[in-house]
Amino acid sequence: MITILKKDLANYFKSPIAYVTTTFLLLLCGYLFFIRVVHYSMVSMQAMMNPMYAKSLLINDQIVVPLLNNTAFLMLFFTPLFTMRLFSEEKKLGTLELLFTYPLTETQLIFGKLFSCAAVVLLGGLLTATFPLTLFKYVQNMDWSSVITGYLGIVLMSIAAISIGMWISSLTDSQIVAAFSTFASLLMFWIIGWTGTASPGPLSKFLTSISFLDNFDNFTKGVIDLNSVLFFVCFSILFLYLTYYNLISRKWRG
């Protein structure tokens, strides 16, 4: 597993995609964060004339939660760029069968690729945590628990996103098809909760329960919701198992 981890990490950083996407993510999140800070500063100055309004002006709602939501949403765009090559490239180059001859199990192969991809994907996402830290000296009423739980949600959601991308990559030898299919799937799981609000009772509850957005929102409130943790964990396990099944089937067919 360590060998696969090192090999894939080296491949990621040999190409410009890791540097470009991480830089682009930080620039976008930084720009949106700066806009929220400026807006909060202007509204705070206006609120000084209205003490009652100032009490309801919470920095977490105005700055931290938008930063977390923007980071999580933008990572849905970038994750497919990393997962598309996990198995599609191996299949296209004909090296997947070669990997089957290595002294490692399919489980070790999957987790080696999972951890390497997660390391690169989460690099940019977790670096955005430096943005709220810049306010540490100037803000006294920030709820840091929502920052910590929010980034825990980003980690869990990213692993779930990588797992479905890995499964799709194991189905095709086209990186383009894998990337677009993964993005479409992630976008569907992000907005499916919106459909749930317009659906009848039981269906609405089910669609909301499998929505990335609704489950991630729970983490931005500063509380670790066990149901949301279990959702992302079980989601990841399901698609990792489907990937394992695809590899086993291909191995026996080969």
Side-chain angles (χ1 to χ4, degrees), residues 1-7 112:
M1 185 179 75
I2 300 299
T3 303
I4 297 296
L5 175 63
K6 291 180 178 179
K7 181 181 78 71

Side-chain angles (χ1 to χ4, degrees), residues 136-161:
F136 183 77
K137 291 184 179 180
Y138 310 101
V139 178
Q140 303 297 326
N141 61 338
M142 182 179 290
D143 181 10
W144 290 98
S145 63
S146 64
V147 178
I148 296 172
T149 57
Y151 279 98
L152 172 62
I154 286 177
V155 171
L156 292 174
M157 191 193 74
S158 297
I159 294 176

Side-chain angles (χ1 to χ4, degrees), residues 15-253:
S15 67
I17 186 171
Y19 305 100
V20 172
T21 53
T22 300
T23 301
F24 197 50
L25 175 65
L26 292 174
L27 288 175
L28 273 177
C29 290
Y31 173 71
L32 295 173
F33 175 76
F34 175 75
I35 290 176
R36 296 301 304 185
V37 171
V38 172
H39 177 264
Y40 179 80
S41 300
M42 294 175 62
V43 174
S44 297
M45 293 178 65
Q46 296 173 1
M48 292 177 65
M49 301 179 181
N50 187 345
M52 296 298 295
Y53 176 67
K55 291 181 180 179
S56 64
L57 193 62
L58 302 177
I59 190 170
N60 283 72
D61 293 339
Q62 297 292 323
I63 296 179
V64 175
V65 173
L67 169 66
L68 293 170
N69 286 328
N70 289 334
T71 302
F73 182 69
L74 288 172
M75 289 182 70
L76 294 184
F77 285 89
F78 295 126
T79 298
L81 299 178
F82 295 102
T83 61
M84 67 180 185
R85 62 185 302 176
L86 287 175
F87 289 107
S88 296
E89 186 178 44
E90 303 280 6
K91 294 168 69 175
K92 187 174 182 179
L93 297 176
T95 55
L96 184 59
E97 284 71 18
L98 180 62
L99 289 177
F100 289 150
T101 65
Y102 285 13
L104 76 164
T105 64
E106 286 74 19
T107 303
Q108 291 173 326
L109 174 62
I110 289 172
F111 278 100
K113 288 185 171 293
L114 173 68
F115 292 147
S116 65
C117 188
V120 180
V121 169
L122 290 173
L123 176 63
L126 295 181
L127 280 176
T128 62
T130 59
F131 298 150
L133 290 176
T134 60
L135 304 176
F136 183 77
K137 291 184 179 180
Y138 310 101
V139 178
Q140 303 297 326
N141 61 338
M142 182 179 290
D143 181 10
W144 290 98
S145 63
S146 64
V147 178
I148 296 172
T149 57
Y151 279 98
L152 172 62
I154 286 177
V155 171
L156 292 174
M157 191 193 74
S158 297
I159 294 176
I162 292 170
S163 68
I164 192 172
M166 180 180 291
W167 171 64
I168 292 174
S169 181
S170 70
L171 295 173
T172 177
D173 59 359
S174 171
Q175 294 187 40
I176 302 300
V177 171
F180 277 102
S181 299
T182 300
F183 173 71
S185 300
L186 294 177
L187 186 61
M188 180 192 71
F189 278 107
W190 182 264
I191 66 176
I192 198 171
W194 301 348
T195 307
T197 58
S199 305
L203 179 60
S204 173
K205 187 176 181 180
F206 170 73
L207 293 177
T208 302
S209 68
I210 62 172
S211 166
F212 273 26
L213 175 59
D214 288 276
N215 281 284
F216 177 71
D217 276 345
N218 294 330
F219 289 95
T220 64
K221 299 173 183 176
V223 178
I224 300 178
D225 190 322
L226 184 59
N227 289 331
S228 296
V229 173
L230 288 175
F231 165 74
F232 285 122
V233 171
C234 293
F235 188 96
S236 302
I237 292 174
L238 170 62
F239 283 98
L240 289 176
Y241 173 76
L242 291 175
T243 305
Y244 172 82
Y245 178 81
N246 283 342
L247 292 181
I248 289 293
S249 300
R250 184 179 179 87
K251 183 177 181 179
W252 283 107
R253 288 198 307 269

